[in-house]
Amino acid sequence: MTKLPLEGVTVLEFCQYLAGPYAGLRLADLGARVIKVERPRGGDACRALATKDMWAGEDSVLFHTINRNKESFAADLKDPEHLDIVRELVATADVVTHNFRPGVMERIGLDYEAVKAINPEVVYGEVSGYGKEGPWAALPGQDLLAQARTGAMWHSGAADDPPTPLGLAVADMACGLHLAQGILAALVRRRRTGQGGLVEVSLAESLLDVQFEGLTVFLNHAGELPARSRVAPAHPYLGAPYGVYATSDSAIALSMGDVSRVLIALGLDPVEEAPGADAFVERDEIKAQIEVQLATRSTAEWMARLNGVGHWACEVLDYARLADHDGYRVLGMEQVVSRDDGISVRTTRCPIRVGGERLYSDRAAPRLGDANEQIMAELAS
Amino acid sequence: MNRPLEDILVLDFTQFMSGPSATLRLADLGARVIKVEHRERGDLSRTAYAPAFDLGDAPAFFQAINRGKESVAADLRDPHDVALLLKIAAEADVVVSNFRPGVMDRHGLGYERLHASNPALVYGEITGYGAEGPWALEPGQDLLLQAASGMMWLTGADDDGPVPMGIAMADYCAGAMLAQGVLAALAGGGGTRVDVSMLEAVLDLQFEPFTLYLQDSEEPKRGGVNPAHPLVAAPYGVYRTSDGYLALAMTPIDTLAALVGCEELSQFTDRGRWFHERDEIKGVLAAHLASESTRHWLDRLEPADVWCAEVLSWADLVIHEGFLALDMVQEVGEGADSYRVTRCPIRIDGQVLRSPARAPRLGEHTESIRAEFGR
């Protein structure tokens, strides 16, 4: 096994739910030791938040997915004795993260300035919903509401559909990606200069970044809003044939490319004018023809024709067909994480390969407080 | 200001979105990014969009994602150009590419060669599906990755058929994860390679629903009424009001029934059924909320700390005090060449990161880079 890049880095995670812990998971995957600091009663609230009512032992599968390969230190931050121990721990950490609402860490005395005073080289990461200023600053950082407020519901679905949320916690996920990026960049600087740093991200800023492409059009083209296609919608800024179409037995995604070539391959008449302009302006008319035509034959027949002219296309798979495909299996993307009380969960591995190797880790999410004894011993030594 | 990646040099062979989004982030965090472009065509995203979305001399997409970078025009089949690129690579901290597997090797720019002359180099590569298996040479294009990865069964309703996310999330995530891997490698002292495929990235994006699938082999069910997330119980979703739309996140149904004054809703007392009966519950709620304005409902729900929000469009958003407080928009370029873009979403040391440079014209920096590295 190759040496992991973050070996020797210790992260103290005062985070719950998804955004912050997702960043912690990635740092753990890349070699860091990640210690979740959790309240003694209940711990991370995500332990009790079961999506699809699915559990592994006392904790939700969701919690296991996000918190594998971490340790848990149970401490009551309102108890002065516990807080003293946490301060000792903070003094030895390389990275501290939290996602409390603005003001909470100040009240506890673990805000950046306070932590920096006891650990000058610390990299301190903060997650919020909407930053620290303005009328949204005190609002909870919740994914669907961040999607609602930032315009993210107007990209998916068809022209006359109501606002369509992205069917994943994309704000949380993007924010976790950015938190890890910021922390890692600060660690790069620390390695070179010895300087610590403060990294702040919010669900709102992250979700705006996700929409940077359309926002740039909007900000420079007189407030032009995303115009979702009426037919086979897939991306508001791309022309025909870009979209997803039903065939007689499944569905096909058609990528961008020469629209006339696609039409001919499908047995339709090519467009007459300069295809570049038409493919966008007349996308719904062109896509409507394709839609009718593709419904008449099987996916395999159409894929053969599209492959024949080199047009990029792909059959739409579900999880079962994906998981059964050699293209998926060759990735070795799954791993089973387990721990000594018999809990085990099959999940995915780190998506990043280092030194040409896939990174696996078979350690399941921690029981609440399972590292207390060991950490107390380390602090005493 | 002191950016964390100052003095980091990135030689960037990527085009379109996945790779360029990674190097945009590195540039915003302070790195110098030299973008290598095909001598005649340039990055394909200079020409792949409808003219309606042009911004100056290139599409808005290109201008947004390549701002703050330098452009060197090169032909990878020309030994003189490759010699220059090798000289830059010898001094670079990071080299990244998103060609299909094997292309960099064919041009003499593979990991082994560059590593031999620059042992501390971090070499990052994005592929569509990894370097092995039946998909290895398939094009790594966002919509196709959404199709292959099962992702089109998460958005929309059960009856909708496959619904792509209208944002290039496979590209976005692959770029974000490459940036993570490259930064981690730099933080660990460099001298290694980092690989991300779009398929692995978009599976990581779906790690929550996909992990559940790996337990019970059941496909996600999006639900039929006001769908928002396949795994979350009622009332989670978006509701039409008399004048707009209201988003409602996790909220106990009994609490909600009392606050909005809905007798029929108060019958759903069993918390354990709020997931299984979500369509029925949401149907009742949808009919009830349609009669009054969004403001009417917010005035009842917000004081009780119910998680709810008005659904805004960008037009509503950009005049909202909450958005203005984020200070998220910046102007890049000068005079007639200037345009507005969002800034880096990460704040460092309490400051927002602005970078005033626009995207480069094709080969704009070829001469200066030749002069600097070509000796």
Side-chain angles (χ1 to χ4, degrees):
Chain A
M1 184 79 201
T2 181
K3 181 177 175 289
L4 294 172
L6 299 184
E7 272 174 33
V9 172
T10 300
V11 180
L12 275 191
E13 177 176 287
F14 296 83
C15 294
Q16 305 197 88
Y17 293 118
L18 184 48
Y22 177 50
L25 174 62
R26 189 54 31 80
L27 300 177
D29 281 337
L30 292 164
R33 177 186 187 190
V34 178
I35 302 166
K36 286 180 78 72
V37 181
E38 300 187 78
R39 56 196 169 141
R41 264 189 232 109
D44 181 341
C46 191
R47 289 180 181 271
L49 178 74
T51 46
K52 254 186 104 184
D53 205 24
M54 207 178 274
W55 301 86
E58 305 275 292
D59 300 316
S60 67
V61 170
L62 175 62
F63 176 80
H64 276 273
T65 307
I66 307 165
N67 294 288
R68 61 180 171 77
N69 202 14
K70 300 180 187 176
E71 300 170 33
S72 169
F73 186 80
D76 180 355
L77 300 178
K78 290 177 190 138
D79 179 325
E81 282 180 37
H82 287 211
L83 197 52
D84 280 345
I85 298 164
V86 169
R87 283 213 184 84
E88 281 184 58
L89 204 47
V90 161
T92 66
D94 301 287
V95 178
V96 170
T97 64
H98 83 83
N99 66 345
F100 290 111
R101 289 200 209 177
V104 172
M105 284 302 245
E106 282 78 359
R107 281 201 294 281
I108 297 171
L110 289 173
D111 58 294
Y112 177 54
E113 291 306 325
V115 169
K116 196 165 84 168
I118 53 175
N119 183 349
E121 292 190 9
V122 75
V123 173
Y124 189 96
E126 291 188 326
V127 182
S128 68
Y130 303 88
K132 287 180 180 162
E133 291 155 32
W136 286 340
L139 294 176
Q142 198 286 324
D143 188 88
L144 187 74
L145 307 184
Q147 289 196 39
R149 293 192 176 102
T150 58
M153 294 184 178
W154 300 100
H155 303 278
S156 308
D160 294 330
D161 286 349
T164 303
L166 305 163
L168 275 177
V170 168
D172 280 313
M173 297 295 284
C175 192
L177 290 170
H178 297 154
L179 178 63
Q181 288 174 344
I183 287 168
L184 289 164
L187 287 173
V188 172
R189 179 175 66 181
R190 194 179 74 161
R191 182 185 177 87
R192 296 157 69 97
T193 69
Q195 183 187 351
L198 172 64
V199 175
E200 295 165 276
V201 294
S202 71
L203 297 193
E205 286 159 290
S206 290
L207 206 42
L208 290 166
D209 187 66
V210 166
Q211 302 174 79
F212 79 97
E213 180 178 359
L215 271 170
T216 304
V217 174
F218 173 82
L219 290 169
N220 297 285
H221 284 79
E224 184 167 333
L225 292 169
R228 296 177 293 180
S229 199
R230 229 163 267 290
V231 183
H235 192 296
Y237 300 96
L238 292 173
Y242 202 85
V244 177
Y245 302 86
T247 62
S248 65
D249 59 350
S250 63
I252 296 182
L254 293 185
S255 182
M256 66 277 278
D258 183 331
V259 69
S260 286
R261 193 175 61 183
V262 171
L263 291 170
I264 294 166
L266 299 177
L268 295 164
D269 294 331
V271 291
E272 284 168 14
E273 303 297 321
D278 281 2
F280 185 78
V281 177
E282 293 169 17
R283 61 179 173 170
D284 284 335
E285 292 76 7
I286 299 169
K287 288 163 85 174
Q289 291 179 50
I290 297 173
E291 186 175 58
V292 170
Q293 186 78 340
L294 282 178
T296 61
R297 289 171 195 264
S298 71
T299 293
E301 284 178 70
W302 293 125
M303 284 300 291
R305 291 200 192 194
L306 291 161
N307 287 336
V309 297
H311 188 79
W312 294 0
C314 181
E315 180 173 14
V316 177
L317 303 183
D318 58 14
Y319 284 160
R321 297 192 53 207
L322 167 73
D324 197 37
H325 199 290
D326 286 340
Y328 167 79
R329 287 168 185 253
V330 75
L331 296 178
M333 193 67 195
E334 295 171 24
Q335 60 183 355
V336 175
V337 296
S338 58
R339 61 183 197 210
D340 58 10
D341 60 356
I343 298 294
S344 80
V345 174
R346 178 174 287 272
T347 186
T348 52
R349 64 164 166 81
C350 179
I352 303 167
R353 302 185 194 204
V354 177
E357 293 187 41
R358 305 172 175 119
L359 309 184
Y360 294 100
S361 154
D362 61 6
R363 181 160 67 169
R367 277 186 302 272
L368 178 57
D370 74 348
N372 278 51
E373 213 171 296
Q374 155 125 26
I375 287 167
M376 294 303 285
E378 287 173 23
L379 289 174
S381 68
Chain B
M1 72 170 292
N2 172 1
R3 287 166 196 263
L5 300 184
E6 269 170 24
D7 302 326
I8 297 285
L9 175 61
V10 180
L11 183 60
D12 178 6
F13 289 88
T14 67
Q15 57 178 347
F16 260 118
M17 178 162 173
S18 62
S21 71
T23 55
L24 173 64
R25 183 59 33 78
L26 301 179
D28 275 341
L29 290 165
R32 177 185 179 190
V33 177
I34 297 176
K35 181 176 176 66
V36 182
E37 296 195 71
H38 187 282
R39 200 153 61 188
E40 282 93 38
R41 289 195 306 267
D43 182 329
L44 284 175
S45 69
R46 287 184 181 272
T47 50
Y49 287 79
F53 302 122
D54 276 356
L55 188 51
D57 56 0
F61 168 78
F62 179 88
Q63 303 283 35
I65 203 168
N66 292 296
R67 60 185 174 74
K69 304 177 187 175
E70 298 170 35
S71 168
V72 57
D75 180 349
L76 298 186
R77 288 160 307 182
D78 179 335
H80 296 291
D81 285 359
V82 172
L84 173 69
L85 298 172
L86 287 170
K87 283 182 184 165
I88 302 173
E91 294 182 36
D93 301 282
V94 178
V95 168
V96 289
S97 77
N98 65 350
F99 293 116
R100 292 193 206 182
V103 171
M104 285 291 275
D105 285 308
R106 279 208 296 283
H107 292 297
L109 294 161
Y111 173 67
E112 300 301 336
R113 169 127 187 228
L114 300 193
H115 183 253
S117 60
N118 181 356
L121 181 71
V122 175
Y123 188 95
E125 209 160 47
I126 295 180
T127 60
Y129 302 83
E132 304 153 307
W135 283 341
L137 297 178
E138 291 290 316
Q141 196 284 322
D142 187 84
L143 191 67
L144 308 187
L145 265 302
Q146 291 199 38
S149 68
M151 191 170 152
M152 291 188 181
W153 304 100
L154 302 175
T155 300
D158 284 337
D159 292 341
D160 286 342
V163 177
M165 290 191 189
I167 294 175
M169 288 309 299
D171 278 317
Y172 186 88
C173 290
M177 291 170 197
L178 184 76
Q180 288 180 336
V182 163
L183 288 168
L186 286 172
T192 191
R193 62 176 299 153
V194 173
D195 294 273
V196 175
S197 73
M198 292 172 72
L199 182 54
E200 287 161 292
V202 83
L203 288 168
D204 188 66
L205 176 69
Q206 299 174 77
F207 78 150
E208 177 188 357
F210 193 63
T211 294
L212 297 192
Y213 170 81
L214 292 174
Q215 315 310 306
D216 67 1
S217 301
E218 260 185 39
E219 300 290 338
K221 291 190 185 69
R222 293 171 287 183
V225 179
N226 296 7
H229 190 301
L231 305 172
V232 182
Y236 204 82
V238 174
Y239 294 83
R240 190 188 293 271
T241 64
S242 64
D243 63 347
Y245 293 92
L246 177 71
L248 275 173
M250 301 89 169
T251 306
I253 297 297
D254 35 6
T255 307
L256 192 59
L259 288 170
V260 301
C262 182
E263 184 73 19
E264 205 183 342
L265 198 63
S266 60
Q267 296 161 16
F268 297 93
T269 50
D270 181 359
R271 167 180 289 266
R273 306 297 302 165
W274 294 343
F275 179 72
H276 302 286
E277 292 172 8
R278 60 180 168 169
D279 281 342
E280 204 180 332
I281 296 170
K282 289 162 85 173
V284 170
L285 186 57
H288 186 78
L289 295 180
S291 59
E292 299 282 352
S293 69
T294 304
R295 191 69 252 166
H296 174 89
W297 299 121
L298 289 173
D299 286 344
R300 273 152 192 75
L301 299 172
E302 282 176 340
D305 282 330
V306 168
W307 286 7
C308 60
E310 181 177 11
V311 177
L312 303 182
S313 72
W314 286 337
D316 311 317
L317 171 71
V318 295
I319 55 172
H320 198 289
E321 290 294 333
F323 174 81
L324 296 171
L326 295 175
D327 194 12
M328 194 66 198
V329 178
Q330 63 178 349
E331 183 122 357
V332 299
E334 285 175 8
D337 274 348
S338 70
Y339 51 89
R340 303 173 77 208
V341 289
T342 52
R343 60 163 171 81
C344 178
I346 305 166
R347 299 176 193 226
I348 300 288
D349 301 333
Q351 293 186 279
V352 299
L353 304 181
R354 298 184 189 289
S355 12
R358 73 194 300 283
R361 295 189 181 80
L362 175 56
E364 185 174 337
H365 304 89
T366 306
E367 288 311 314
S368 59
I369 286 167
R370 269 189 201 289
E372 182 181 353
F373 294 93
R375 282 152 285 132

